[in-house]
Amino acid sequence: MARQLNKLSANEVKNAKGSGKIRKLADGGGLTLVIKGESKYWWLRYRFAGNEKTLSLGGYPQVSLADARKARDEAKGLLKDNIDPSAHRKQESTQRVSDGENTFRTLCEDWYQQKHSAEVTESHAVRNWRRLEIYTFPQLARRPIRSLQPADILQVLDKIVKKGNVETAHRVKTLISLVFRYAVATSRVDSDVTRDLTGYLPKTQVKHQHALVRPDEVSRLLKDIQAYQGHFATSAALRISPLVFTRPGDTRQMLWEQIDFDKALWELPTTKNGAPLIVPLSQQAISILKEVEPVTKHRSPYVFPNARDAKRPMSNVAIKAALDRMGYGGKMTAHGFRAMARTLLQEELKYPVHLIEMQLAHRVADMHGRAYNRTEFLEDRREMMQAWADYLQSLES
């Protein structure tokens, strides 16, 4: 015969008085009201793995009779699944502490400091952190990262898309994915929830950077660059840009400590894709750097310092602004030197694509799918860069 449950009434519990000894009132199913003096609290007695155990359910009246019965029934449900209610409570308590420490913002900060800021350029890292601050923190910052589901991420992305910023939505989704993958690697979550959102966002329209790629157009541009009368650092950066065809951010943040004049190399510890890059410097590039050295090296760590503050690199719009003033607005951008080099090196100078792509700091794999490292084909690239500089010089003259 089953033991009677719910023996007590709410009034009995309320009016029960203590005495000099501990008094116990059983409600059934192991639930007991323990009265000691003026205090009342709930116990649950149960057996697990052959041992009798006691679980405290809290004090009365903070925990009512109905609440205590609910807790008893939940514990019984755990026992049916062969789970010890006491161990389950400890695990939940530990998880709550863990969730409080591992909020989305906390993981973003860890990822940024431990990984992202070390893998990309400073300006790129700062720009990405700002995106997280603007678009994700208002809704997600205080949420335990383990609690976030695809629907939570969708709400963030939908807001961005509704404002017409589809490309930004894609960038933010990528950042959230990077944070989750870092959390997986550090055992804070089990999976990247953004994987279930693949294909959800509208496709972005590819924006092609303006670039001049015909020899006659490039010839005119190079003549105009040589004739440009602007700020010294801007003019020098403008002249070296077609010779090295690195990303504009890398060019303007070139450091003197990265230049090896003896080996004629510029060594970048990291680029946009996180990989380092070696740029062989042609005789023409070395000539420009030696022209700049006595003017900027003694006052700035940057080869092309900011006009107002030598401790900072040149403005990220300086080269584009110079091109615009020269009449190339809508025709050529600072990034366009990369497209120019890629096109003419292949079509006019007949260099193999993999060498050009490696020098552009794009990820290139060999026939076995392995990524080339930064020193691969260095001498071949050195020869290519000198031939490129000689070709540009011939176009200019």
Side-chain angles (χ1 to χ4, degrees):
M1 184 176 179
R3 294 183 180 181
Q4 183 182 349
L5 291 177
N6 304 339
K7 300 175 183 178
L8 301 174
S9 68
N11 281 334
E12 284 180 282
V13 173
K14 180 180 179 181
N15 297 323
K17 302 295 182 183
S19 60
K21 297 182 179 180
I22 294 177
R23 183 183 176 195
K24 299 177 182 177
L25 300 179
D27 187 56
L31 180 61
T32 303
L33 179 67
V34 180
I35 308 168
K36 184 177 181 181
E38 298 296 322
S39 300
K40 303 176 187 179
Y41 46 93
W42 298 102
W43 275 2
L44 176 67
R45 293 187 180 277
Y46 65 96
R47 295 187 71 82
F48 185 81
N51 299 315
E52 186 173 291
K53 304 185 117 181
T54 301
L55 179 66
S56 174
L57 301 181
Y60 178 87
Q62 292 82 5
V63 177
S64 68
L65 174 60
D67 291 337
R69 286 171 174 169
K70 182 180 178 182
R72 174 196 63 195
D73 295 342
E74 290 174 351
K76 294 294 185 183
L78 292 171
L79 287 168
K80 284 183 180 180
D81 294 331
N82 200 33
I83 298 172
D84 183 352
S86 295
H88 181 71
R89 174 182 287 182
K90 288 180 182 178
Q91 184 179 359
E92 282 193 326
S93 177
T94 301
Q95 188 62 56
R96 282 194 295 272
V97 172
S98 176
D99 287 345
E101 293 175 348
N102 293 315
T103 62
F104 179 74
R105 181 179 184 123
T106 300
L107 264 297
C108 287
E109 290 172 347
D110 284 355
W111 165 77
Y112 183 84
Q113 293 167 5
Q114 301 298 325
K115 194 167 178 65
H116 194 55
S117 60
E119 292 181 342
V120 300
T121 61
E122 181 182 359
S123 60
H124 188 55
V126 169
R127 189 160 54 247
N128 281 339
W129 179 257
R130 186 66 180 140
R131 287 185 180 118
L132 288 171
E133 282 186 321
I134 294 172
Y135 299 110
T136 70
F137 287 174
Q139 290 176 255
L140 307 179
R142 298 183 181 180
R143 294 278 302 277
I145 193 165
R146 190 175 288 274
S147 73
L148 294 176
Q149 299 298 317
D152 301 310
I153 310 304
L154 280 184
Q155 289 183 356
V156 171
L157 300 178
D158 281 341
K159 279 189 173 181
I160 304 172
V161 171
K162 286 177 181 177
K163 293 181 180 179
N165 300 324
V166 176
E167 184 176 348
T168 299
H170 280 274
R171 292 181 184 277
V172 171
K173 177 178 174 288
T174 298
L175 291 175
I176 295 174
S177 176
L178 289 172
V179 172
F180 264 91
R181 279 149 58 185
Y182 174 76
V184 171
T186 54
S187 303
R188 259 77 75 88
V189 296
D190 299 322
S191 63
D192 174 9
V193 299
T194 66
R195 290 183 306 180
D196 296 328
L197 306 181
T198 302
Y200 173 81
L201 291 174
K203 292 183 178 180
T204 57
Q205 292 186 347
V206 178
K207 294 181 179 178
H208 297 285
Q209 295 283 354
H210 297 298
L212 303 178
V213 295
R214 293 206 326 257
D216 60 323
E217 294 175 329
V218 175
S219 175
R220 181 71 265 166
L221 171 65
L222 295 173
K223 288 181 172 66
D224 290 340
I225 287 175
Q226 285 297 324
Y228 178 71
Q229 299 292 319
H231 184 268
F232 177 80
T234 303
S235 178
L238 190 58
R239 284 188 288 135
I240 207 170
S241 289
L243 295 171
V244 293
F245 53 87
T246 47
R247 292 183 175 91
D250 293 329
T251 306
R252 73 183 186 86
Q253 294 183 92
M254 183 189 294
L255 295 168
W256 283 115
E257 65 181 28
Q258 297 171 348
I259 305 298
D260 187 330
F261 281 106
D262 294 333
K263 296 179 180 179
L265 295 175
W266 170 23
E267 297 196 44
L268 287 80
T270 183
T271 57
K272 184 179 179 181
N273 65 15
L277 173 67
I278 293 180
V279 181
L281 296 170
S282 63
Q283 296 172 10
Q284 292 86 340
I286 288 290
S287 177
I288 293 171
L289 291 174
K290 287 189 173 180
E291 179 185 334
V292 174
E293 185 180 20
V295 180
T296 70
K297 190 173 183 179
H298 69 284
R299 63 188 182 91
S300 176
Y302 294 101
V303 176
F304 309 115
N306 190 283
R308 294 186 177 86
D309 182 359
K311 295 180 180 179
R312 295 167 49 215
M314 185 175 62
S315 165
N316 61 352
V317 297
I319 293 179
K320 181 183 182 303
L323 288 168
D324 289 350
R325 283 195 291 271
M326 291 160 54
Y328 289 94
K331 300 176 184 177
M332 185 67 181
T333 65
H335 204 277
F337 290 113
R338 293 169 62 76
M340 173 198 296
R342 194 193 188 290
T343 301
L344 295 179
L345 276 167
Q346 183 181 0
E347 294 183 359
E348 297 295 323
L349 301 187
K350 309 301 180 183
Y351 277 94
V353 172
H354 75 277
L355 281 185
I356 303 169
E357 291 294 301
M358 287 173 66
Q359 199 54 58
L360 286 165
H362 291 162
R363 291 193 180 276
V364 184
D366 64 15
M367 61 182 294
H368 302 293
R370 297 171 302 200
Y372 290 113
N373 66 47
R374 64 176 186 161
T375 60
E376 291 277 3
F377 301 103
L378 183 58
E379 290 309 311
D380 290 336
R381 288 188 284 131
R382 184 188 295 278
E383 188 273 333
M384 178 181 74
M385 296 296 279
Q386 185 58 57
W388 171 243
D390 292 341
Y391 174 68
L392 293 181
Q393 190 171 28
S394 69
L395 289 180
E396 180 192 332
S397 60

Coordinates of all heavy atoms in Angstrom, one line a residue, residues 87-103 144-147 187-190:
A87 N 23.6 16.0 -5.1 CA 24.7 16.2 -6.1 C 24.2 17.1 -7.2 O 24.9 18.0 -7.7 CB 25.2 14.9 -6.6
H88 N 22.9 16.9 -7.6 CA 22.3 17.8 -8.6 C 22.3 19.2 -8.2 O 22.6 20.2 -9.0 CB 20.9 17.3 -8.9 CG 20.2 18.1 -10.0 ND1 20.6 18.0 -11.4 CD2 19.2 19.0 -10.0 CE1 19.9 18.8 -12.1 NE2 19.0 19.4 -11.3
R89 N 21.9 19.5 -6.9 CA 21.9 20.8 -6.4 C 23.3 21.5 -6.4 O 23.4 22.6 -6.8 CB 21.3 20.9 -5.0 CG 21.4 22.3 -4.4 CD 20.8 22.3 -3.0 NE 19.4 22.1 -2.9 CZ 18.7 22.1 -1.8 NH1 19.3 22.3 -0.6 NH2 17.4 22.0 -1.8
K90 N 24.3 20.7 -6.0 CA 25.6 21.3 -6.0 C 26.1 21.6 -7.4 O 26.7 22.6 -7.6 CB 26.6 20.3 -5.4 CG 26.4 20.1 -3.9 CD 27.4 19.1 -3.3 CE 27.2 18.9 -1.8 NZ 28.1 17.8 -1.3
Q91 N 25.7 20.7 -8.3 CA 26.1 21.0 -9.7 C 25.4 22.3 -10.2 O 26.0 23.1 -10.9 CB 25.7 19.8 -10.6 CG 26.2 19.9 -12.0 CD 25.8 18.7 -12.9 OE1 25.2 17.8 -12.4 NE2 26.1 18.8 -14.1
E92 N 24.1 22.4 -9.9 CA 23.4 23.6 -10.3 C 24.0 24.9 -9.7 O 24.1 25.9 -10.4 CB 21.9 23.5 -9.9 CG 21.1 22.6 -10.9 CD 19.6 22.8 -10.6 OE1 19.2 23.1 -9.4 OE2 18.9 22.7 -11.6
S93 N 24.4 24.8 -8.4 CA 25.0 25.9 -7.8 C 26.3 26.3 -8.4 O 26.6 27.5 -8.7 CB 25.3 25.6 -6.3 OG 25.9 26.7 -5.6
T94 N 27.1 25.3 -8.8 CA 28.4 25.5 -9.4 C 28.2 26.2 -10.8 O 28.9 27.1 -11.2 CB 29.2 24.2 -9.6 OG1 29.4 23.7 -8.3 CG2 30.5 24.5 -10.3
Q95 N 27.1 25.7 -11.5 CA 26.8 26.2 -12.8 C 26.4 27.6 -12.8 O 26.7 28.5 -13.6 CB 25.7 25.4 -13.5 CG 25.4 25.7 -14.9 CD 26.6 25.5 -15.8 OE1 27.2 24.4 -15.9 NE2 27.1 26.5 -16.5
R96 N 25.6 28.0 -11.7 CA 25.1 29.4 -11.6 C 26.3 30.3 -11.4 O 26.4 31.4 -11.9 CB 24.2 29.5 -10.4 CG 22.8 29.1 -10.7 CD 21.8 29.5 -9.6 NE 22.0 28.9 -8.3 CZ 21.5 27.8 -7.9 NH1 20.8 27.1 -8.7 NH2 21.8 27.3 -6.7
V97 N 27.3 29.8 -10.6 CA 28.5 30.7 -10.4 C 29.3 30.8 -11.7 O 29.7 31.9 -12.0 CB 29.4 30.0 -9.3 CG1 30.7 30.8 -9.2 CG2 28.7 30.0 -7.9
S98 N 29.4 29.6 -12.4 CA 30.1 29.7 -13.7 C 29.4 30.6 -14.7 O 30.0 31.3 -15.4 CB 30.1 28.2 -14.2 OG 30.7 28.2 -15.5
D99 N 28.0 30.5 -14.7 CA 27.3 31.4 -15.6 C 27.5 32.8 -15.3 O 27.6 33.7 -16.2 CB 25.8 31.0 -15.6 CG 25.5 29.7 -16.3 OD1 26.4 29.2 -17.0 OD2 24.4 29.1 -16.1
G100 N 27.5 33.1 -14.0 CA 27.7 34.5 -13.6 C 29.1 35.0 -14.0 O 29.3 36.2 -14.3
E101 N 30.1 34.1 -14.0 CA 31.4 34.6 -14.4 C 31.6 34.5 -15.9 O 32.5 35.3 -16.4 CB 32.5 33.6 -13.8 CG 32.5 33.7 -12.2 CD 33.4 32.7 -11.6 OE1 33.8 31.7 -12.4 OE2 33.7 32.8 -10.4
N102 N 30.9 33.7 -16.6 CA 31.0 33.5 -18.1 C 29.9 34.1 -18.8 O 29.2 33.4 -19.6 CB 31.2 32.0 -18.4 CG 32.5 31.4 -17.8 OD1 33.5 32.0 -17.9 ND2 32.4 30.3 -17.2
T103 N 29.7 35.4 -18.7 CA 28.7 36.1 -19.5 C 29.3 36.3 -20.9 O 30.5 36.1 -21.2 CB 28.4 37.5 -18.9 OG1 29.6 38.3 -18.9 CG2 27.9 37.4 -17.5
P144 N 24.5 34.8 -19.6 CA 25.5 33.7 -19.5 C 25.6 33.1 -21.0 O 24.6 32.9 -21.6 CB 24.9 32.7 -18.6 CG 23.9 33.5 -17.8 CD 23.4 34.6 -18.6
I145 N 26.9 33.0 -21.4 CA 27.0 32.6 -22.8 C 26.4 31.2 -23.0 O 25.9 30.9 -24.1 CB 28.5 32.6 -23.2 CG1 28.7 32.4 -24.7 CG2 29.3 31.5 -22.5 CD1 30.0 32.8 -25.3
R146 N 26.4 30.4 -22.0 CA 25.8 29.0 -22.1 C 24.3 29.1 -22.4 O 23.7 28.1 -22.9 CB 26.1 28.2 -20.9 CG 25.8 26.7 -21.0 CD 26.3 26.0 -19.8 NE 27.7 25.8 -19.7 CZ 28.4 24.9 -20.3 NH1 27.7 23.9 -21.0 NH2 29.7 24.8 -20.3
S147 N 23.7 30.2 -22.0 CA 22.2 30.3 -22.1 C 21.8 30.8 -23.5 O 20.6 30.7 -23.8 CB 21.7 31.2 -21.0 OG 22.0 32.6 -21.4
S187 N 36.3 25.4 -23.1 CA 35.3 24.6 -22.3 C 34.3 25.4 -21.6 O 33.8 25.0 -20.5 CB 36.1 23.7 -21.3 OG 37.0 22.9 -22.0
R188 N 33.9 26.5 -22.2 CA 32.8 27.3 -21.6 C 31.4 27.0 -22.2 O 30.4 27.2 -21.6 CB 33.1 28.8 -21.7 CG 33.6 29.5 -20.4 CD 35.1 29.1 -20.2 NE 36.0 29.9 -21.0 CZ 36.5 31.1 -20.7 NH1 36.2 31.7 -19.6 NH2 37.4 31.6 -21.5
V189 N 31.4 26.5 -23.4 CA 30.2 26.1 -24.1 C 30.5 24.8 -24.9 O 31.6 24.5 -25.1 CB 29.6 27.2 -25.0 CG1 29.1 28.4 -24.2 CG2 30.5 27.5 -26.1
D190 N 29.4 24.2 -25.3 CA 29.6 22.9 -26.0 C 29.7 23.1 -27.6 O 30.2 22.2 -28.3 CB 28.5 21.9 -25.7 CG 28.4 21.6 -24.2 OD1 29.5 21.5 -23.6 OD2 27.3 21.5 -23.6

